[in-house]
Amino acid sequence: MNDKKSHAKINQVGQVRMGHAFRGRLEHDESGSIHVIQPADITNDGQVEFSMNEPLRTQLSQFKPLVKDDVLLVNRGRFAAAVFDQKDENTWIVPSSIIVISIHASDVLPEYICAFINSQPGQHLLQRYLEMSTIPFISASNLKNMKIPLPPIGQQKEIANLNQAIVQHEKLGTRKRELYRSLLNNEFGVKK
């Protein structure tokens, strides 16, 4: 980044809120119409991936659904952000262990915010706003006051695109290693 960047507090570019506070243990409900993105579904590189091929579902009467381009931040234990962009018509929510940032500033890209939070400088900045209990966490009020660098929109797009290219390269590299390992195991007669 060059010197022509400004800084802004998170609450100056978007609305910050906690995810849904469940009263009890979150259980999968086959008949549930509300899909839940859990902290484990958000990878450290900013992707939303479901380990069981299907997200957890639940049934609720009152909730605040996610909207496209909300930034989801895992806020307990580890800190990873992803942009909400599910391509289906389902209703989605997150639990309170995820903070939702709804960007309202027209000159700020959610993908840039996500890339910054997941970067080494972003992780270092988050460390300064942490609170400690048995597990480190960042509160919504602390996150609102966190001041982040905001380069011009063109530079934000470049950073977001570069971040996406890195993520894709790492995924392809991982897949390639898995295929090579499978070929090698096959040569030694290892069956899956």
Side-chain angles (χ1 to χ4, degrees):
M1 287 189 216
N2 60 28
D3 292 336
K4 294 190 178 210
K5 62 185 172 195
S6 62
H7 286 75
K9 291 182 179 179
I10 296 281
N11 68 349
Q12 293 173 313
V13 300
Q15 178 187 4
V16 177
R17 67 177 173 86
M18 298 298 292
H20 185 80
F22 289 91
R23 294 179 190 256
R25 183 180 166 100
L26 185 55
E27 302 277 339
H28 183 71
D29 179 353
E30 282 292 327
S31 63
S33 61
I34 300 162
H35 291 66
V36 182
I37 297 174
Q38 301 179 83
D41 301 328
I42 298 175
T43 65
N44 288 337
D45 62 5
Q47 306 299 301
V48 175
E49 296 176 354
F50 302 103
S51 58
M52 302 249 202
N53 297 330
E54 182 180 340
L56 189 130
R57 291 189 316 215
T58 191
Q59 201 67 323
L60 295 170
S61 57
Q62 293 185 338
F63 57 89
K64 182 153 183 168
L66 297 174
V67 297
K68 185 179 179 333
D69 293 336
D70 277 346
V71 175
L72 312 177
L73 172 63
V74 177
N75 69 330
R76 290 190 191 138
R78 69 181 178 98
F79 306 96
V83 177
F84 176 71
D85 188 23
Q86 295 304 114
K87 306 282 190 232
D88 56 36
E89 297 298 318
N90 294 314
T91 301
W92 293 84
I93 63 169
V94 291
S96 60
S97 52
I98 296 177
I99 295 177
V100 179
I101 308 168
S102 300
I103 306 297
H104 57 65
S106 61
D107 60 344
V108 177
L109 295 175
E111 296 82 4
Y112 167 77
I113 298 294
C114 178
F116 175 74
I117 289 172
N118 292 337
S119 72
Q120 190 174 14
Q123 292 291 303
H124 287 315
L125 183 59
L126 282 169
Q127 295 295 318
R128 294 194 300 195
Y129 288 85
L130 286 183
E131 296 184 40
M132 293 300 284
S133 62
T134 51
I135 297 173
F137 71 97
I138 188 163
S139 67
S141 59
N142 279 357
L143 185 65
K144 287 178 185 179
N145 291 315
M146 190 171 84
K147 195 179 263 192
I148 62 170
L150 286 177
I153 192 86
Q155 194 172 0
Q156 288 180 43
K157 285 179 186 174
E158 290 173 11
I159 290 168
N161 289 340
L162 179 59
N163 182 63
Q164 191 56 42
I166 292 167
V167 168
Q168 190 63 30
H169 181 72
E170 287 174 354
K171 274 186 175 182
L172 291 172
T174 299
R175 181 68 183 130
K176 186 176 180 180
R177 281 190 301 280
E178 289 169 356
L179 289 171
Y180 283 159
R181 180 67 56 203
S182 179
L183 288 169
L184 182 62
N185 287 338
N186 190 44
E187 288 296 319
F188 289 120
V190 176
K191 308 256 187 212
K192 279 194 171 187

